[in-house]
Amino acid sequence: MTSEQNPAPETSAPTEPRPGRLTAAAALAGLEGAALVVGGAYMLVAALTGHPDNRQQAITGGVTLIVLALLPLLAARGLLALKSWSRGPAIITQIMALPVAYTLGQSGGVALPLGIVLGAVALTALVMLVNPATTVALGIRMPGSAKGPE
């Protein structure tokens, strides 16, 4: 067989460079995922080595945070790989972060700056994820842009 009969498989490398907004959105999602892992690990360690009011609740909270971290971490990986499916989980993560940021901001004290930072990160990532350059880079067609039969 010749190479013409058996062509080489296409590579998945993008033909255009990844937009900076997309890379930044992936970094923010990854940062959120890493923060959830750190928070969950902290809760687990504190539950196992300290004296929490309710050890079972602390362990459950720590495991829950680590499991929740999978969504933004997988979304970040997909965004970096230019996978169109990854935008949905990334947007969901940012939408879920907004009420958390609001609650942190309302509690005052040490949580106030955390709420402000989380809110800023979530809003920034949302803007980057819905940007037309991001949509095009991920291969997502805008409504009405598909050419149908005339």
Side-chain angles (χ1 to χ4, degrees), residues 69-149:
L70 293 175
L71 184 66
L73 291 173
L74 289 172
R77 183 173 179 190
L79 289 171
L80 288 174
L82 297 176
K83 302 293 184 186
S84 62
W85 61 262
S86 62
R87 190 173 85 151
I91 289 175
I92 290 169
T93 299
Q94 306 317 316
I95 291 172
M96 287 177 13
L98 290 173
V100 174
Y102 178 79
T103 303
L104 288 170
Q106 292 298 310
S107 64
V110 175
L112 178 62
L114 293 174
I116 292 170
V117 169
L118 180 59
V121 166
L123 286 174
T124 302
L126 271 173
V127 168
M128 291 178 189
L129 288 166
V130 298
N131 186 281
T134 300
T135 303
V136 169
L138 292 174
I140 299 171
R141 290 185 303 183
M142 299 297 285
S145 65
K147 294 186 179 186

Side-chain angles (χ1 to χ4, degrees), residues 3 10 18 22 28-29 38 46 49 65 98 103 105 112-113 146-148:
S3 62
E10 293 182 23
R18 181 176 43 243
L22 184 56
L28 291 175
V38 168
T49 61
L65 285 180
L98 290 173
T103 303
L112 178 62
K147 294 186 179 186

